[in-house]
């Protein structure tokens, strides 16, 4: 069963979360996303702020708006172990590195999840989960349709997970996940093939129609989040490379069709009443 697979994927805890900034002094929607404890900004996690702000901006709203009732929103990231009772979930996922005991929220308002592994994990704990899958980073091409263009000027680039960055430092074609989100997207769009151990390196590439392949350079990251994403896009034949040469030989994973409407329709607009 899929649930047994989920249990096998969960291992010891992840890196510490940076202390949260002081909240606004009035009722508002607080967006939670992970950030390294050293104060740096990790590309994939920071996309939560970028995407949610852009979605709101399409209706003239902001994360600083005063609203009728305070709420907390979890969007991009493997952050559900940080969830508290009553949090709203839009596209988040389970982090396979975290023990099951870390998941303590007994009541969540779930609008969408990253994929079916996260769905089953939550359902097994009594949560109601709609069958709306998708990492909100997939919306970047739709939200910034006039800003980014693929140029295909490079044969390939490599986007490492933050924990793998030291393994490829100084290598040609490496795109640091510590750079600004727009700079990372622009570098990804220069490639004809994207190799990555960064989940969001893969997601951004595929969102823009660029073939991509997961390269597992270390055992630091658990396979759960990658499988969750791929299964959520209808691709259960998940194959990864263990080196950049092998990934170049394998090429990208099969493409998939993504309809942004279900994920956009699931956005919790009611929180801004």
């Amino acid at each position: 069963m899929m649930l047994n697979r989920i249990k096998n994927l969960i291992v010891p805890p992840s890196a510490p979360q940076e202390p949260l900034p002081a909240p606004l002094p009035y009722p508002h929607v607080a967006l939670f996303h992970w950030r390294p404890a050293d104060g740096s900004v990790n590309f994939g996690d920071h996309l939560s702020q970028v995407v949610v702000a852009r979605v709101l901006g399409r209706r003239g709203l902001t994360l600083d708006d005063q609203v009728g009732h305070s709420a907390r929103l979890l969007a991009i990231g493997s952050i559900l172990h940080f969830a508290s009772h009553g949090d709203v979930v839009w596209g988040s996922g389970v982090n396979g590195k975290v023990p099951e005991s870390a998941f303590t929220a007994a009541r969540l308002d779930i609008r969408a999840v990253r994929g079916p592994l996260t769905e089953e994990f939550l359902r097994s704990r009594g949560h109601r989960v709609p069958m709306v899958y998708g990492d909100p980073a997939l919306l970047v091409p739709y939200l910034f349709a006039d800003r980014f263009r693929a140029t295909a000027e490079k044969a390939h680039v490599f986007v490492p997970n933050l924990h793998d960055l030291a393994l490829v430092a100084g290598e040609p074609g490496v795109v640091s996940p510590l750079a600004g989100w727009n700079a990372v997207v622009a570098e990804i769009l220069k490639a004809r093939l994207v190799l990555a151990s960064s989940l969001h390196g893969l997601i951004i590439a595929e969102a823009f129609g660029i073939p991509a392949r997961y390269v597992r350079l270390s055992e630091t990251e658990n396979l759960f989040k990658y499988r969750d994403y791929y299964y959520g896009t209808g691709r259960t034949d998940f194959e990864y490379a263990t080196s950049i040469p092998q990934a170049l030989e394998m090429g990208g994973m099969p493409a998939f069709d993504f309809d942004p409407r279900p994920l956009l329709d699931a956005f919790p607009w009611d929180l801004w009443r």
Side-chain angles (χ1 to χ4, degrees):
M1 291 200 37
M2 189 178 289
L3 182 57
N4 292 330
R5 182 187 300 159
I6 292 171
K7 290 181 177 178
N8 291 335
L9 288 171
I10 296 178
V11 295
S14 59
Q17 162 70 29
E18 182 189 51
L20 296 176
L24 295 171
Y26 50 78
H28 66 285
V29 179
L31 176 67
F32 175 87
H33 63 87
W34 185 82
R35 185 168 176 176
D38 64 2
S40 58
V41 176
N42 187 41
F43 152 69
D45 296 291
H46 188 67
L47 281 175
S48 189
Q49 182 85 23
V50 173
V51 168
V52 171
R54 187 72 167 187
V55 170
L56 290 171
R58 289 156 68 97
R59 295 194 183 183
L61 302 171
T62 77
L63 284 165
D64 291 335
D65 287 3
Q66 180 170 329
V67 299
H69 301 280
S70 292
R72 194 169 80 141
L73 175 62
L74 280 65
I76 292 174
S78 302
I79 54 175
L80 287 179
H81 54 293
F82 291 115
S84 300
H85 303 316
D87 284 353
V88 180
V89 176
W90 180 64
S92 305
V94 168
N95 188 324
K97 295 191 295 186
V98 177
E100 294 184 55
S101 60
F103 295 82
T104 59
R107 179 176 54 84
L108 294 172
D109 181 354
I110 301 168
R111 311 299 179 90
V113 293
R114 182 179 55 208
L117 297 185
T118 291
E119 177 197 6
E120 186 161 346
F121 182 93
L122 291 172
R123 284 187 186 275
S124 72
R125 283 152 183 78
H127 297 285
R128 297 180 61 183
V129 187
M131 290 185 65
V132 181
Y133 301 148
D135 189 298
L138 288 167
L139 297 172
V140 168
Y142 302 92
L143 298 174
F144 297 91
D146 298 326
R147 181 168 184 184
F148 298 104
R149 291 287 182 273
T151 63
E153 61 193 82
K154 296 183 178 180
H156 71 275
V157 297
F158 181 77
V159 189
N161 179 276
L162 184 59
H163 301 294
D164 289 342
L165 182 57
L167 301 177
V168 293
E171 295 293 329
V174 171
V175 180
S176 172
L178 297 176
W181 77 273
N182 58 307
V184 176
V185 172
E187 287 300 312
I188 287 172
L189 294 185
K190 291 179 181 179
R192 297 189 291 277
L193 171 67
V194 172
L195 311 178
S197 57
S198 160
L199 176 61
H200 286 92
L202 298 168
I203 291 173
I204 289 296
E206 295 192 328
F208 281 92
I210 301 172
R213 176 68 63 175
Y214 172 46
V215 185
R216 190 167 181 77
L217 293 184
S218 72
E219 297 298 313
T220 304
E221 292 301 310
N222 195 276
L223 288 172
F224 186 105
K225 65 181 182 180
Y226 303 97
R227 287 189 171 125
D228 196 34
Y229 163 65
Y230 282 111
Y231 294 176
T233 56
R235 296 172 294 174
T236 56
D237 293 330
F238 170 53
E239 295 182 339
Y240 59 86
T242 56
S243 69
I244 291 176
Q246 183 186 23
L248 291 171
E249 184 177 344
M250 294 173 73
M253 282 280 288
F256 66 98
D257 293 323
F258 174 67
D259 180 356
R261 289 172 295 182
L263 190 55
L264 285 170
D265 290 346
F267 188 81
W269 296 108
D270 52 293
L271 300 181
W272 274 264
R273 290 175 183 167

